[in-house]
């Protein structure tokens, strides 16, 4: 049989193409099931809170890690409607998803819904909502450390005795954990006097908190520190403090960070002097990775904790940090968390 040059060329090209495919095939084979066929995997993100820069960045992290894995992602947003969030878990179950991320919510409304998903054979992780279920890993920002870092800076800046306003809404797991640290600090430093506690999650959150904070600073002009351990709270407090002309006499300490927050902290004479934060996009990535580990038959642990970073106004000004990209570049510990990262897991940041 005579083989033409053209036929030889086709054979060679085919061989080279197959050779080039080997690394990709090997990489696919290195991933455990079901991620050897990731297009068949579907996960759902069921959200309670979605307003604000933090939650937009968190969603971008979920999307980036899902894309890196090659899985299909559904996003169901209840917009702070607890009953609707519970119904959305049932929707995800009915759709036959393989895994669910429950993002925030109320224990009383999500506990039974999460159990229904587990009973249906669906893997579930929960971010910042306690569903009281040992089968469901809890993704956390180490909220106690977030509060501790911010409050330690407040003591460093203001001493051990000051009058404080405190922004808090009970029943939200991360805020409840931050509240535990606040109470511990007041016990440790009896000179810290809480003269006002207020807070709301009514949308838009920052404006609603600002309305409350106006009354608080008017009634308590001797407040020296505002502890607002959520950046939407801090934005609202800053609005009220600026309007009252008290930016030079009140210091604001918070949790969480965004490009808008960085801009607000860097305004000349800004009262917002420090925050403790994890990168919300990284937290979103970790949430998907922990769920993926469960789907692969691996254990991410009962508590998957993303460590926080203290970010001060001085840090931002000294390093001329203007946005989240520059924050990640200039504070590398903020850019990536080596959490829930087995060898086979793709890193969306690379």
């Amino acid at each position: 049989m005579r083989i033409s040059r053209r036929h030889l060329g086709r054979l060679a090209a085919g061989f080279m193409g197959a050779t080039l495919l080997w690394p990709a095939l090997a990489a696919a084979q290195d991933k455990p099931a079901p991620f050897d066929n990731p297009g068949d995997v579907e996960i759902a993100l069921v959200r309670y809170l979605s307003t604000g820069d933090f939650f937009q960045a968190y969603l971008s992290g979920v999307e980036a890690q899902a894309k890196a894995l090659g899985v299909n992602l559904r996003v169901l947003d209840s917009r702070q409607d607890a009953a609707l969030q519970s119904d959305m878990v049932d929707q995800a179950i009915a759709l036959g998803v393989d895994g669910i991320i429950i993002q925030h919510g109320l224990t009383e409304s999500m506990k039974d819904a999460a159990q229904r998903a587990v009973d249906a054979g669906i893997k579930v992780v929960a971010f910042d909502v306690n569903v009281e279920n040992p089968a469901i890993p809890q993704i956390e920002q180490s909220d106690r450390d977030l509060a501790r870092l911010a409050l330690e800076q407040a003591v460093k800046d203001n001493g051990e005795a000051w009058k404080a306003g405190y922004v808090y809404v009970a029943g939200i797991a991360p805020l409840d954990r931050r509240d535990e640290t606040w109470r511990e600090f007041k016990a440790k430093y009896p000179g810290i006097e809480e003269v006002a506690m207020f807070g709301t999650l009514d949308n838009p959150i920052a404006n609603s908190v600002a309305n409350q904070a106006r009354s608080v600073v008017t009634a308590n002009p001797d407040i020296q520190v505002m502890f607002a351990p959520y950046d939407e709270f801090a934005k609202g407090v800053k609005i009220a403090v600026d309007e009252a002309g008290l930016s030079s006499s009140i210091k604001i300490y918070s949790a969480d960070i965004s490009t808008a927050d960085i801009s607000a902290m860097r305004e000349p004479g800004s009262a917002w002097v420090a925050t403790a934060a994890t990168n919300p996009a990284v937290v979103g990535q970790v949430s998907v990775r922990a769920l993926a580990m469960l789907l692969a038959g691996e254990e991410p642990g009962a508590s998957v904790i993303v460590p926080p970073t203290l970010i001060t106004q001085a840090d931002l000004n000294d390093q001329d940090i203007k946005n989240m990209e520059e924050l990640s570049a200039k504070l590398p510990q903020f850019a990536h968390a080596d959490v829930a990262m087995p060898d086979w897991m793709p890193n969306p940041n690379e």
Side-chain angles (χ1 to χ4, degrees):
M1 177 180 177
R2 187 176 179 182
I3 301 176
S4 69
R5 286 186 180 180
R6 180 177 294 180
H7 190 58
L8 281 171
R10 287 174 180 170
L11 287 173
F15 177 75
M16 288 178 64
T19 303
L20 290 171
L21 282 173
W22 286 346
L25 290 171
Q29 289 166 356
D30 287 341
K31 292 180 183 178
F35 299 104
D36 49 352
N37 290 299
D40 295 335
V41 179
E42 186 162 13
I43 64 173
L45 171 64
V46 182
R47 313 178 83 193
Y48 179 72
L49 290 168
S50 56
T51 300
D53 297 328
F54 179 94
F55 299 105
Q56 292 174 12
Y58 176 85
L59 176 60
S60 74
V62 169
E63 292 172 335
Q65 188 67 65
K67 182 178 179 181
L69 280 164
V71 302
N72 301 301
L73 171 68
R74 289 180 179 267
V75 180
L76 305 174
D77 191 349
S78 72
R79 299 186 182 277
Q80 295 166 238
D81 184 326
L84 179 57
Q85 188 186 25
S86 178
D87 289 343
M88 284 179 166
V89 171
D90 291 326
Q91 289 177 33
I93 295 170
L95 289 167
V97 302
D98 301 285
I100 297 174
I101 301 167
I102 298 174
Q103 181 229 297
H104 292 86
L106 307 179
T107 298
E108 57 267 27
S109 58
M110 293 313 297
K111 181 170 65 173
D112 291 343
Q115 184 61 55
R116 290 195 295 273
V118 171
D119 291 343
I122 296 171
K123 300 299 183 183
V124 181
V125 299
F127 168 50
D128 271 354
V129 53
N130 181 10
V131 293
E132 298 180 351
N133 194 317
I136 297 176
Q138 172 72 59
I139 317 298
E140 298 181 24
Q141 300 181 78
S142 188
D143 291 289
R144 296 173 184 85
D145 284 340
L146 282 169
R148 176 184 57 79
L149 287 171
L151 289 169
E152 285 176 350
Q153 187 65 34
V155 170
K156 180 180 178 181
D157 292 345
N158 303 281
E160 299 181 4
W162 27 270
K163 293 187 176 181
Y166 174 45
V167 191
Y168 174 55
V169 175
I172 302 297
L175 298 179
D176 289 343
R177 289 190 289 264
R178 296 169 196 185
D179 180 63
E180 291 174 15
T181 302
W182 171 238
R183 287 187 274 114
E184 289 170 2
F185 259 74
K186 288 190 295 178
K188 182 178 180 180
Y189 300 106
I192 297 175
E193 180 186 354
E194 181 187 301
V195 298
M197 182 176 74
F198 60 101
T200 178
L201 288 172
D202 291 346
N203 283 323
I205 297 171
N207 292 340
S208 298
V209 169
N211 291 336
Q212 296 178 332
R214 289 185 186 97
S215 299
V216 170
V217 297
T218 299
N220 302 277
D222 54 349
I223 286 177
Q224 298 159 280
V225 167
M226 280 282 195
F227 181 45
Y230 167 33
D231 60 343
E232 293 298 309
F233 290 169
K235 288 177 186 176
V237 171
K238 184 179 181 299
I239 291 169
V241 168
D242 288 349
E243 289 178 352
L246 296 172
S247 298
S248 61
S249 58
I250 293 177
K251 291 188 172 82
I252 301 169
Y253 299 83
S254 73
D256 307 326
I257 191 75
S258 70
T259 293
D261 299 343
I262 291 169
S263 178
M265 291 176 71
R266 291 197 62 185
E267 288 177 8
S270 175
W272 192 348
V273 296
T275 191
T278 56
N279 186 330
V282 171
V283 180
Q285 293 170 14
V286 170
S287 299
V288 175
R289 294 204 296 264
L291 181 60
M293 290 179 69
L294 284 182
L295 289 169
E298 301 178 7
E299 286 297 331
S303 183
V304 182
I305 297 176
V306 182
T309 300
L310 177 70
I311 302 159
T312 67
Q313 187 183 82
D315 291 332
L316 299 174
N317 287 330
D318 291 348
Q319 299 190 57
D320 193 26
I321 295 169
K322 298 181 288 296
N323 52 49
M324 293 290 282
E325 290 74 18
E326 292 179 1
L327 183 65
S328 294
K330 296 181 180 182
L331 295 180
Q333 68 271 29
F334 186 75
H336 173 70
D338 192 19
V339 176
M341 199 74 188
D343 291 341
W344 58 268
M345 187 73 67
N347 185 343
N349 305 309
E350 294 179 347

